[in-house]
Amino acid sequence: MMVKTRMKATAGDAKPPDTNSSHPLMKPTNVLIILSDEHQSGLMGCAGHAALQTPNLDALAKRGTRFCNAYTPSPICVPARASLATGRYVHDIGCWDNAIAYQGTPPGWAQYLCDAGLLAESIGKLHYRDAASPVGFRHQHHAVHILDGIGQVWGSVRNPLPETMGRSPLYDKIGAGTSDYNRFDERVADRAVQWLGEHANDKQPWVLFVGLVAPHFPLIVPAEYLDRYPLESIALPKLHPSSGYRRHPWVERQARHMDHDAAIGSDERRRLAIASYFGLVTFMDAQVGKILGALSLNSLAEATTVIYSSDHGDNLGKRGMWNKCLLYRESTSIPMIVAGPGIPGDKLSNTPVSLVDIQNTVLQCTHCAGAPLDGPGHSLVELARAPDMPERLAFSEYHAVGSEAAAYMLADAHYKYHHYVGLPPELFDLERDPEELENVAARPAYAEVLQVFEARLKTLLDPEAVDAMAKADQERLVRAFGGREAALRTGTPAATPVPQA
């Protein structure tokens, strides 16, 4: 078998002509960023899923460009959102886990806009340290940050990692109902509708960040959405260990640390969990529809660049794993749709992109004067306009709860490489195996590909040194909270609470 390497770029390289230019090719636009939480990238109608009902996201993709190889910089909330805020990778900013949140350093796109006299506001979930941190937004409406400014301190205890955190409580409640998260998302969408009306006639470009929580657990969703996905139509997840599948040792260690699948229990509850997640995706799509409807109602659609994405995905039972925190596509791949003036319509791009690309997109679209267009990211608008660049690399990393050592991912449009510190790597041939069912790292035919990816990773960072740096920062945090045993009892045990109405 002939295996092509096609590796010419490090993460962030291979930019198209005029990308990140200080003289953008278009007139300034507003920017509306809608960020959901934990939305697996393939679970949209426009992504080819036959059952998922996402008419509003489908319509957005129809009038814009959808990137089918989009990735999170880290498959867990707080680090991913810190990277989005700054256009930097997690190891560059030190926001390693859900207890070390962004607090305004280094500066990011919202601060650059503020310094330039442009308006940036947020509505909904941000998951930074707290509302007092100087992150650049003029106002944060219905803000959600890590609980009490400390988040999940227990998740920073990694060296050594506790054998188990005990039975997972995250999926105790699954099915029909209305959760605080559902009500919160409806309030966020309603406030966004109101905000767009208030700023319909602004003379300068603005940026509005809207943070929805769905489809993040708890997997509770109003019955009108759950009923669209009958349990008998739900297929059980692939590669369950009960079928003989053997998980990678790094993944197996995480499963021992907190076994969500055992807590879910039966196949019937697995199907109900998936159906509930599907329902939450459709519920979230309805909130997106409200917001986009207000954009059109206020004649803003032709003057606004819209970005839809999510902070990370969800494993949704594949390999017997739920929640996020892994390097497989279910967890690291994210939806990314960009629509607006000058952006190709009804286009599918296979250029790999990332949340770190959002910063330069915002700065370019608003013509934010004096803002540095550096870092690993590029403008999504220019990437959408340019010919596809399948060799561009996306990068992700994980240093958080459930991991004894760091894990790193590099992916182009053909191959996806996983590096686990101290453990064997994984390599997936995405063109032949888009579901990542078979690790080909040990196959002789892929030896050159593996070597190239290993070399590319080491040009980006020193895997062992970054692992040690993350653990040192986390150990300092643990000591600050009274040591290992005290830290294990500190912080929110599950999902971050949201403000009540």
Side-chain angles (χ1 to χ4, degrees):
M1 178 178 65
M2 295 294 293
V3 176
K4 297 176 288 182
T5 58
R6 297 197 316 182
M7 289 285 295
K8 298 179 181 177
T10 56
D13 285 347
K15 59 187 179 183
D18 297 311
T19 294
N20 296 337
S21 169
S22 59
H23 302 286
L25 302 176
M26 58 185 185
K27 295 179 180 179
T29 73
N30 308 313
V31 181
L32 170 63
I33 303 168
I34 304 176
L35 192 79
S36 62
D37 197 315
E38 209 155 315
H39 183 191
Q40 191 184 117
S41 64
L43 298 184
M44 300 182 289
C46 58
H49 198 290
L52 259 291
Q53 299 176 30
T54 53
N56 297 295
L57 292 175
D58 298 349
L60 184 66
K62 185 73 174 176
R63 73 178 185 89
T65 296
R66 182 172 69 86
F67 293 92
C68 60
N69 289 309
Y71 291 93
T72 180
S74 184
I76 191 168
C77 297
V78 170
R81 290 164 180 270
S83 285
L84 190 160
T86 60
R88 306 284 173 177
Y89 293 133
V90 169
H91 64 272
D92 288 328
I93 56 179
C95 293
W96 306 108
D97 61 27
N98 277 0
I100 307 177
Y102 182 58
Q103 51 186 301
T105 305
W109 53 265
Q111 287 142 299
Y112 297 138
L113 290 166
C114 179
D115 291 345
L118 299 176
L119 173 64
E121 294 197 2
S122 69
I123 306 174
K125 184 174 182 179
L126 287 168
H127 235 195
Y128 300 162
R129 186 179 68 174
D130 53 38
S133 295
V135 298
F137 292 114
R138 187 183 73 174
H139 191 80
Q140 299 175 21
H141 308 265
H142 303 305
V144 173
H145 296 289
I146 61 173
L147 183 63
D148 299 328
I150 63 172
Q152 296 176 334
V153 175
W154 53 268
S156 296
V157 180
R158 298 177 53 234
N159 194 27
L161 184 71
E163 178 61 23
T164 179
M165 292 297 291
R167 181 185 177 279
S168 170
L170 304 186
Y171 301 96
D172 286 350
K173 295 181 179 180
I174 304 173
T178 304
S179 71
D180 288 343
Y181 272 17
N182 303 152
R183 288 184 283 267
F184 176 75
D185 275 350
E186 290 174 334
R187 291 199 304 277
V188 167
D190 290 344
R191 181 66 187 99
V193 168
Q194 182 184 23
W195 194 98
L196 291 169
E198 294 167 353
H199 294 274
N201 298 312
D202 284 12
K203 301 303 181 184
Q204 287 189 304
W206 46 254
V207 176
L208 177 64
F209 179 94
V210 181
L212 300 171
V213 184
H216 191 286
F217 65 85
L219 299 180
I220 299 170
V221 62
E224 64 179 290
Y225 297 100
L226 178 61
D227 290 347
R228 303 184 192 195
Y229 303 101
L231 296 192
E232 60 271 18
S233 69
I234 303 296
L236 288 172
K238 295 181 179 180
L239 303 181
H240 196 275
S242 64
S243 67
Y245 172 74
R246 296 184 64 181
R247 291 185 285 226
H248 186 280
W250 191 92
V251 180
E252 186 63 38
R253 181 66 184 92
Q254 193 173 102
R256 292 203 313 272
H257 182 69
M258 187 173 287
D259 194 341
H260 302 305
D261 191 66
I264 289 176
S266 66
D267 283 349
E268 181 180 7
R269 290 197 84 232
R270 290 184 183 98
R271 287 191 171 94
L272 179 59
I274 294 170
S276 299
Y277 182 94
F278 286 4
L280 283 169
V281 171
T282 300
F283 166 81
M284 178 270 295
D285 180 84
Q287 311 317 308
V288 171
K290 290 182 193 175
I291 300 166
L292 297 181
L295 202 66
S296 297
L297 182 65
N298 289 286
S299 302
L300 287 166
E302 297 305 314
T304 304
T305 301
V306 180
I307 303 170
Y308 170 74
S309 193
S310 197
D311 53 355
H312 49 72
D314 190 302
N315 297 303
L316 214 60
K318 197 169 182 178
R319 300 176 180 84
M321 303 296 288
W322 299 78
N323 209 354
K324 51 265 188 181
C325 308
L326 303 183
L327 299 183
Y328 304 110
R329 289 190 72 150
E330 295 78 29
S331 191
T332 53
S333 183
I334 54 174
M336 185 73 78
I337 302 171
V338 183
I343 297 171
D346 200 18
K347 177 179 177 180
L348 179 65
S349 171
N350 74 351
T351 299
V353 298
S354 166
L355 292 179
V356 299
D357 293 312
I358 287 179
Q359 169 153 295
N360 281 11
T361 310
V362 169
L363 298 178
Q364 187 192 53
C365 286
T366 58
H367 289 202
C368 183
L373 294 170
D374 56 4
H378 300 307
S379 167
L380 292 165
V381 173
E382 294 300 337
L383 291 172
R385 288 172 168 176
D388 284 0
M389 293 178 290
E391 74 281 3
R392 188 175 191 247
L393 289 178
F395 171 74
S396 189
E397 60 191 301
Y398 188 81
H399 309 273
V401 58
S403 62
E404 279 190 321
Y408 308 95
M409 180 215 83
L410 279 177
D412 64 11
H414 190 169
Y415 300 111
K416 188 155 167 286
Y417 168 70
H418 300 173
H419 180 100
Y420 302 98
V421 170
L423 292 169
E426 291 182 301
L427 180 69
F428 298 96
D429 187 335
L430 299 177
E431 289 190 352
R432 294 182 172 90
D433 178 25
E435 291 194 73
E436 299 177 9
L437 302 177
E438 188 174 13
N439 172 22
V440 298
R443 290 190 180 184
Y446 289 89
E448 183 183 355
V449 177
L450 188 68
Q451 290 170 2
V452 171
F453 271 94
E454 288 173 346
R456 293 300 187 192
L457 178 65
K458 290 176 182 177
T459 65
L460 181 64
L461 52 69
D462 181 329
E464 289 76 19
V466 170
D467 182 42
M469 183 166 58
K471 288 175 177 173
D473 286 351
Q474 289 163 330
E475 287 171 9
R476 281 190 286 271
L477 178 72
V478 168
R479 288 196 297 272
F481 280 92
R484 180 182 178 88
E485 295 307 316
L488 286 170
R489 299 189 299 271
T490 303
T492 177
T496 301
V498 294
Q500 303 300 302

